[in-house]
Amino acid sequence: MDKTFKITSKGFQDNGPLPKKYSTFGEDVNPDLEWVNPPEGTKSFALVNDDPDCPIGTWTHWLVKDIPATTTKIEENSVPGVEVVNSWGCVEYKGPKPPSGTHRYYFTLYAMKVEKMKAKNMKDFYKEVEKESLGKAVIMGKFARP
């Protein structure tokens, strides 16, 4: 039996196209996400949605911390925990808006050793996730400007 920490979405397939509705050209709502088999000892989850193909460096679209350990899914257009300021300078999901070409948008869910994260900004969020994570699950969707 496969006990791999895995994340999926009904809204898109891993490595497939991310629907327009999840972008700034559509409804600009987060996709649904669901996961199984988090590592033993998980006390909370943290979610990062970022675009490594941005011309000025990785662009972070959404940061969510303190997602309860009992949570196994995030509904579309919902906030499962505490949001942290993203690269847009706001505290909310902001979907894809690539300047050109096709970009990759990663939704990385971290299983955390802590129930509450201290991070109040993006830099501290990434540092804390690196230090306090037990493992991660990733799903990626691709999006091009319509």
Side-chain angles (χ1 to χ4, degrees), residues 66-119:
D66 304 345
I67 301 168
T70 54
T71 305
T72 58
K73 65 181 170 183
I74 298 170
E75 299 293 342
E76 185 177 280
N77 195 25
S78 72
V79 180
V82 178
E83 294 169 304
V84 175
V85 175
N86 57 28
S87 294
W88 297 97
C90 62
V91 183
E92 64 184 332
Y93 173 84
K94 291 294 287 175
K97 189 180 182 179
S100 63
T102 300
H103 288 218
R104 296 166 297 158
Y105 295 88
Y106 289 89
F107 292 84
T108 306
L109 185 73
Y110 294 91
M112 302 297 291
K113 298 176 199 171
V114 296
E115 199 173 313
K116 301 281 183 198
M117 290 175 63
K118 294 177 182 120

Side-chain angles (χ1 to χ4, degrees), residues 17-144:
L18 199 60
K20 182 179 170 184
K21 86 187 281 187
Y22 303 127
S23 78
T24 58
F25 301 100
E27 295 171 38
D28 205 12
V29 296
N30 65 278
D32 70 281
L33 299 168
E34 192 165 351
W35 55 90
V36 294
N37 301 321
E40 197 170 315
T42 299
K43 293 189 176 167
S44 71
F45 296 100
L47 180 70
V48 173
N49 171 221
D50 58 16
D51 167 12
D53 302 317
C54 181
I56 60 170
T58 299
W59 190 265
T60 302
H61 288 261
W62 200 28
L63 293 173
V64 186
K65 65 179 186 173
D66 304 345
I67 301 168
T70 54
T71 305
T72 58
K73 65 181 170 183
I74 298 170
E75 299 293 342
E76 185 177 280
N77 195 25
S78 72
V79 180
V82 178
E83 294 169 304
V84 175
V85 175
N86 57 28
S87 294
W88 297 97
C90 62
V91 183
E92 64 184 332
Y93 173 84
K94 291 294 287 175
K97 189 180 182 179
S100 63
T102 300
H103 288 218
R104 296 166 297 158
Y105 295 88
Y106 289 89
F107 292 84
T108 306
L109 185 73
Y110 294 91
M112 302 297 291
K113 298 176 199 171
V114 296
E115 199 173 313
K116 301 281 183 198
M117 290 175 63
K118 294 177 182 120
K120 301 216 183 306
N121 60 51
M122 196 166 29
K123 183 180 172 191
D124 290 345
F125 189 103
Y126 278 104
K127 271 192 210 168
E128 195 170 351
V129 155
E130 197 173 300
K131 183 180 166 203
E132 300 291 348
S133 166
L134 293 166
K136 66 183 178 181
V138 183
I139 186 171
M140 185 269 294
K142 297 175 182 172
F143 187 81

